[in-house]
Amino acid sequence: MLGGISIWQLLIVLGIIILIFGTKKLRNVGGDLGGAVKGFKKAMHDEDKAEDADKPQAQVRHDDEGQTYDVKAERKPEEQEERK
């Protein structure tokens, strides 16, 4: 398995860790770690949105007849808050 460590050895180490730190402290550490991972994912997602917002908007001329444009209309977050 993991470099010659058996499942029994891992269980013994886990038992010792629980005896030293206690289950409440381990639960808190797990919750903090989960919160950090969620924060990291949220920051990465927000960064992707910021990169999309920095791109200039495409301009469409109406004098080109016979051309079809596929667009997606979206509202800016500031406009949505004003209308509420």
Side-chain angles (χ1 to χ4, degrees), residues 2 6 10 12 18 20 23 26 29 31 33-34 37 43 51 53 55 58 64 66 69 75 79:
L2 298 169
S6 70
L10 289 175
I12 292 170
I18 289 174
I20 292 172
T23 56
L26 289 177
V29 169
L33 182 62
V37 170
E51 288 177 1
K55 294 180 183 176
D64 293 335
Y69 298 97
R75 293 185 191 269
E79 292 176 359

Side-chain angles (χ1 to χ4, degrees), residues 1 5-14:
M1 201 168 131
I5 299 174
S6 70
I7 189 72
W8 294 110
Q9 292 170 335
L10 289 175
L11 289 174
I12 292 170
V13 170
L14 181 64

Side-chain angles (χ1 to χ4, degrees), residues 22-73:
T23 56
K24 186 175 181 181
K25 186 155 187 143
L26 289 177
R27 190 177 315 128
N28 290 342
V29 169
D32 292 343
L33 182 62
V37 170
K38 282 184 184 177
F40 179 75
K41 286 182 180 180
K42 184 176 184 265
M44 293 301 292
H45 185 66
D46 290 345
E47 184 178 301
D48 290 341
K49 284 185 177 180
E51 288 177 1
D52 292 342
D54 291 341
K55 294 180 183 176
Q57 294 182 353
Q59 295 182 354
V60 178
R61 296 186 333 197
H62 296 288
D63 58 351
D64 293 335
E65 292 186 22
Q67 298 218 4
T68 304
Y69 298 97
D70 292 329
V71 296
K72 180 179 178 184

